[in-house]
Amino acid sequence: MITLVNLNKIYRTKEIETQALENINLNIEEKEFVSIMGPSGCGKSTLLNIIGLLDSPTSGELFLDGVEVSSLSDKVMAKLRNRKLGFVFQNFHLIPALNVLDNVELPLLYRSGVSASERRKKALAVLEKVGLSHRTKHFPTQLSGGQCQRVAIARALIGEPAILLADEPTGNLDSKMGAEIIDILTKLNREGTTIVMVTHDEGVAGKTDRIIRMSDGNIL
Ligand SMILES: Nc1ncnc2c1ncn2[C@@H]1O[C@H](COP(=O)(O)OP(=O)(O)OP(=O)(O)O)[C@@H](O)[C@H]1O
Ligand SMILES: [Mg+2]
């Protein structure tokens, strides 16, 4: 489902060049739940962002479902990102001025042909899935960290992505709330979603199918 071939990422600023990823070769199967571990700065987020089409490699190839993505136009790539990929971040990235329901509905606003009532129905369904259907009118500041992350997961799910990418989704949560988030991700994975998750927590990583260990831009 996800294949990287000889992939490199070099960040260039005026003074310095950083090779964040060095000749990465990786294959992730459909319906796999994979975690990525490694020390700070080893390239985990860079790898996840490239898989998620949020950043582009300096060289090498990325295939999503057999399609090499660098050849796609920006428009097709944006559509692919919206349709196929869901993101969850450590800091939730919710919009403070929007309530829970509006935050969750947001990705569908960028999709043509979805009516307001359909949007609402889907938002309520994904909120139900993460156990938050009783908090639809709350704003992010009125929620706990674990609840915020569940809203973020609901928002990632509303587009029914085949692939969910999570960058330290439990990083800002205590162990109990973290465990709840991992339970939700495990359930989603059993329902067929391919998940790639960055984590610093060995216990969390131990619950996934496979741990990919990175060091200094390389996969060990
Ligand atoms: N936009 C950027 N410009 C320049 N260098 C960058 C940029 N983003 C990341 N880097 C560098 O690339 C390397 C990999 O960064 P990355 O964020 O992928 O690490 P990480 O493994 O996710 O670390 P952490 O566990 O701290 O989140 C680091 O050396 C970092 O300083
Ligand atoms: Mg990171």
Side-chain angles (χ1 to χ4, degrees):
M1 168 146 267
I2 304 168
T3 303
L4 287 75
V5 183
N6 297 333
L7 191 135
N8 287 277
K9 176 66 180 182
I10 300 170
Y11 288 111
R12 289 196 176 92
T13 59
K14 261 189 215 127
E15 293 88 29
I16 35 169
E17 269 193 9
T18 309
Q19 176 125 26
L21 296 175
E22 197 178 342
N23 218 30
I24 300 284
N25 288 287
L26 177 64
N27 197 33
I28 296 171
E29 302 293 333
E30 192 176 356
K31 297 182 182 170
E32 234 188 325
F33 188 174
V34 167
S35 46
I36 301 176
M37 299 197 77
S40 179
C42 72
K44 304 180 296 297
S45 295
T46 303
L47 182 66
L48 210 66
N49 290 345
I50 287 175
I51 292 173
L53 309 177
L54 295 175
D55 199 353
S56 50
T58 307
S59 66
E61 292 170 308
L62 164 65
F63 295 85
L64 293 180
D65 254 353
V67 178
E68 211 285 297
V69 298
S70 69
S71 54
L72 303 175
S73 68
D74 286 353
K75 202 174 157 193
V76 174
M77 214 182 275
K79 200 165 173 181
L80 195 66
R81 196 184 302 128
N82 185 265
R83 298 276 162 119
K84 209 175 192 51
L85 299 157
F87 281 93
V88 178
F89 301 94
Q90 179 174 4
N91 297 324
F92 323 130
H93 289 200
L94 298 177
I95 298 187
L98 297 181
N99 70 22
V100 165
L101 205 50
D102 291 337
N103 263 288
V104 172
E105 285 185 15
L106 208 57
L108 291 188
L109 284 178
Y110 300 103
R111 220 181 256 196
S112 54
V114 185
S115 69
S117 66
E118 211 175 321
R119 244 184 353 249
R120 177 99 346 158
K121 205 172 129 203
K122 286 188 180 209
L124 289 170
V126 284
L127 281 167
E128 179 84 50
K129 211 167 199 165
V130 298
L132 270 186
S133 39
H134 60 306
R135 288 285 183 272
T136 54
K137 298 292 179 200
H138 280 58
F139 287 86
T141 53
Q142 300 168 324
L143 300 172
S144 72
Q147 289 174 333
C148 283
Q149 194 58 297
R150 285 192 274 157
V151 175
I153 292 172
R155 181 184 55 186
L157 291 180
I158 197 167
E160 296 169 37
I163 302 169
L164 186 69
L165 303 169
D167 198 348
E168 299 188 45
T170 63
N172 278 357
L173 305 177
D174 66 32
S175 58
K176 183 169 169 280
M177 286 196 288
E180 283 170 17
I181 295 301
I182 297 306
D183 284 348
I184 290 171
L185 295 182
T186 304
K187 204 165 138 231
L188 290 173
N189 174 249
R190 293 214 180 102
E191 289 168 8
T193 309
T194 305
I195 303 181
V196 186
M197 172 179 70
V198 171
T199 180
H200 282 287
D201 187 325
E202 286 283 350
V204 163
K207 299 214 166 112
T208 65
D209 297 329
R210 174 158 64 117
I211 303 177
I212 294 167
R213 293 188 192 273
M214 292 183 68
S215 170
D216 231 357
N218 293 281
I219 290 177
L220 300 177

